[in-house]
Amino acid sequence: MNKFLDSFKNFFGFSDKETPTSGAAVPIDQLEKKQAEIRNTERLQAEREYSRKHPEVIKKEINEATEYKIKRLKNRLNIAIITVIGLLVLVVLILFYI
């Protein structure tokens, strides 16, 4: 009965992770890690190739991102300046009337 259950588990892929199903002595964890490394290297290679073929698109995206960041920083700086001036006016008013 156990032999039947083991063959059923192996057929449908429910075996333990350490038990190889193809007869190779490589654990599934190592195989998944290697496949992830291969996918990552292929992705990096594709990104490098795209950036070589389309440098103007990359520069445009970088410029748009920096413009957005500069605009956001200007807005934050304006808010900080207005807050400091408001607090200074408040302190001066409190000191003169107390």
Side-chain angles (χ1 to χ4, degrees), residues 3 14 16 19 26 29 31 33 39 41-42 45 53-55 61 65 83 87 89 93 97-98:
K3 195 174 193 181
F14 293 116
D16 296 335
T19 308
V26 179
D29 293 339
L31 183 63
K33 189 184 291 186
R39 283 192 305 268
T41 54
E42 288 174 353
Q45 183 180 6
K53 288 182 179 179
H54 306 286
E61 290 174 357
T83 304
L87 289 174
V89 168
L93 289 174
Y97 290 111
I98 289 183

Side-chain angles (χ1 to χ4, degrees), residues 17-20 24-32:
K17 280 200 164 219
E18 297 300 322
T19 308
V26 179
I28 293 176
D29 293 339
Q30 288 180 358
L31 183 63
E32 290 173 351

Side-chain angles (χ1 to χ4, degrees), residues 13-76:
F14 293 116
S15 62
D16 296 335
K17 280 200 164 219
E18 297 300 322
T19 308
T21 56
S22 64
V26 179
I28 293 176
D29 293 339
Q30 288 180 358
L31 183 63
E32 290 173 351
K33 189 184 291 186
K34 282 190 176 193
Q35 288 175 347
E37 289 175 4
I38 290 170
R39 283 192 305 268
N40 191 25
T41 54
E42 288 174 353
R43 180 186 58 82
L44 290 174
Q45 183 180 6
E47 287 177 359
R48 284 189 209 115
E49 185 177 331
Y50 179 80
S51 65
R52 270 188 255 126
K53 288 182 179 179
H54 306 286
E56 64 280 349
V57 174
I58 302 298
K59 289 179 184 177
K60 183 179 177 185
E61 290 174 357
I62 290 172
N63 286 338
E64 289 175 357
T66 54
E67 288 175 6
Y68 171 74
K69 288 179 182 179
I70 289 171
K71 183 179 177 182
R72 191 176 71 200
L73 283 173
K74 283 182 181 179
N75 190 16
R76 288 182 181 176

